[in-house]
Amino acid sequence: KEAIGTGPYKFSEYRSMQFVDLIRNDDYHGGAPKLTRIRRLIAPDPQTRRQLFEAGEVDWVQLERQDKRLIDASPKLKERLVVVDRPAIWYIGMNLNEFPAFRDKRVRQAFAMAIDKDRIIQDGLDGVNLRAEGIIPPGIPGYDPNFRGLQYNPERAKQLLAEAGYPDGRGFPPLKLYFRVDRHDPKIVAQMVQQDLSKNINIKVELSAMEWGALLKLRSDGKLPFFHLRWHADYPDPQNFLSFMLHSQAGQNNLGYANPEFDRLCDEADVMMDHDMRMEYYRRAEAIVVDDAIWIPIYFQRDLELLSPAVKNLERSLMGPLPHYNTDVIRN
């Protein structure tokens, strides 16, 4: 198969589980880029990636969050560490269709108030990621650093759950929390959410780690009752997080969630020409959906990278460091 594109690099070679080679496109409309070739090694194991960097075989690697303690213990590697904000939110989702108890807003709010995000981020994730109050990540237009969503409040959570008919968790149906098995951080979050719900509102949750493809299939089919997943921007606009994911008519909203005022604000913002007013409408919509607690925002993603000092002129945007037109490698 032929790869078709107009970027500064052309596809050259792919070897399964080894590497992808890109070569310079000398006919690029902006002129030939500086590098003649980019080889992207395929190394799923984070320890292998780190060792390749330490051996000088690669100039740039992405780490797993659990690598940070090892990096912090190495002065040489620590000075090469780069922390990058990503337009992505990790959240706990609740499906009203699959789990009828979640149709009561008080139950969803009780869950949200029983989860200690700060404990998860600081104790579980080494303080790398940014606590999520809302759904729109930093860097996306409409992000409000002053917004405050539902706060950690175990006593209020107990009260709400009792009002919903489950005093001290009694009578609450059995519940599983689904998450992907191949990543370390989702397991940590799931375990700590399980602990918080048990400790704070006496809700016992069974954990269910799933293969990534199977988990996505259940999510696409609307069959996950309670889950921990991520949403990463397709494009840097609040529409991609609100209208696209949670509008009652959105294809991605197979959770049974519908709020007419949220829909109205999104519908109007989606076609509005006035930028400031448009952002205001999205912020108001965000406040509604956070209060409705169909998603419990946990954290905004930050990536950890090791970058060689030989790499020059790397240009970054919120969506990533592409197209490498000016990127160069200069070794002493």
Side-chain angles (χ1 to χ4, degrees):
K1 295 182 179 180
E2 293 289 333
I4 300 174
T6 60
Y9 292 89
K10 298 185 291 185
F11 174 79
S12 173
E13 183 180 2
Y14 165 66
R15 294 188 186 177
S16 179
M17 298 307 295
Q18 295 185 53
F19 63 81
V20 176
D21 267 358
L22 305 175
I23 59 172
R24 181 165 63 191
N25 179 6
D26 290 326
D27 296 323
Y28 181 59
H29 68 87
K34 294 179 179 179
L35 295 174
T36 58
R37 187 187 73 167
I38 297 176
R39 170 166 287 188
R40 301 198 63 162
L41 297 181
I42 300 172
D45 178 57
Q47 181 176 346
T48 300
R49 295 200 297 268
R50 193 176 65 250
Q51 289 172 343
L52 286 168
F53 184 88
E54 291 181 89
E57 295 183 40
V58 297
D59 293 303
W60 181 22
V61 296
Q62 183 171 324
L63 304 171
E64 295 296 320
R65 193 274 318 155
Q66 59 266 29
D67 290 324
K68 188 172 186 298
R69 292 182 183 180
L70 294 173
I71 301 302
D72 286 344
S74 168
K76 183 178 178 180
L77 290 178
K78 189 173 182 180
E79 66 179 13
R80 302 273 69 88
L81 181 66
V82 180
V83 181
V84 183
D85 285 315
R86 307 301 295 161
I89 178 173
W90 287 86
Y91 65 94
I92 300 292
M94 289 174 274
N95 191 326
L96 282 60
N97 293 327
E98 287 295 298
F99 198 77
F102 285 152
R103 294 172 188 167
D104 191 321
K105 177 178 174 178
R106 294 170 297 186
V107 171
R108 302 194 304 270
Q109 289 183 330
F111 272 53
M113 293 181 183
I115 295 172
D116 189 347
K117 300 178 191 180
D118 289 337
R119 185 178 80 95
I120 291 172
I121 294 166
Q122 297 302 321
D123 297 347
L125 304 177
D126 297 328
V128 171
N129 299 292
L130 179 65
R131 171 190 168 111
E133 292 282 352
I135 290 172
I136 303 171
I140 298 292
Y143 169 70
D144 181 1
N146 298 314
F147 176 72
R148 294 293 177 266
L150 298 171
Q151 300 299 299
Y152 178 60
N153 189 336
E155 291 306 313
R156 178 58 177 154
K158 291 176 185 176
Q159 182 182 351
L160 285 167
L161 200 63
E163 291 173 5
Y166 306 103
D168 198 32
R170 291 193 297 275
F172 200 81
L175 181 61
K176 287 185 178 181
L177 174 57
Y178 294 81
F179 61 97
R180 61 185 296 180
V181 71
D182 60 330
R183 297 289 297 273
H184 191 65
D185 289 0
K187 180 180 179 180
I188 290 175
V189 174
Q191 289 174 335
M192 297 185 82
V193 166
Q194 179 191 49
Q195 293 164 7
D196 283 347
L197 294 178
S198 176
K199 172 187 173 184
N200 292 326
I201 53 176
N202 201 31
I203 297 294
K204 309 303 179 185
V205 175
E206 181 183 345
L207 300 184
S208 182
M210 293 192 68
E211 184 273 328
W212 180 225
L215 183 65
L216 285 184
K217 179 66 165 57
L218 286 179
R219 170 67 175 88
S220 297
D221 292 344
K223 298 299 183 182
L224 288 178
F226 190 47
F227 56 94
H228 177 45
L229 278 176
R230 176 189 81 156
W231 178 249
H232 186 291
D234 294 312
Y235 52 94
D237 191 273
Q239 180 194 55
N240 192 222
F241 288 84
L242 300 174
S243 313
F244 186 77
M245 295 300 294
L246 293 165
H247 190 287
S248 63
Q249 301 303 309
Q252 292 290 330
N253 178 8
N254 48 26
L255 306 176
Y257 174 68
N259 184 310
E261 180 62 7
F262 174 82
D263 285 357
R264 182 189 72 80
L265 289 166
C266 287
D267 287 339
E268 295 192 25
D270 287 350
V271 297
M272 195 172 286
M273 299 300 292
D274 184 310
H275 173 79
D276 291 343
M277 184 63 72
R278 184 171 180 261
M279 294 303 112
E280 176 58 27
Y281 272 47
Y282 281 132
R283 289 189 186 106
R284 287 161 57 186
E286 179 184 37
I288 289 171
V289 79
V290 170
D291 187 68
D292 282 344
I294 190 67
W295 283 8
I296 303 172
I298 303 296
Y299 66 87
F300 296 122
Q301 181 175 325
R302 283 176 169 159
D303 286 349
L304 302 177
E305 300 173 356
L306 290 175
L307 184 66
S308 166
V311 178
K312 308 296 183 184
N313 304 318
L314 183 67
E315 297 177 358
R316 296 183 182 273
S317 73
L318 189 66
M319 301 301 287
L322 291 173
H324 295 306
Y325 174 70
N326 289 313
T327 306
D328 203 355
V329 175
I330 301 174
R331 305 193 190 281
N332 295 329

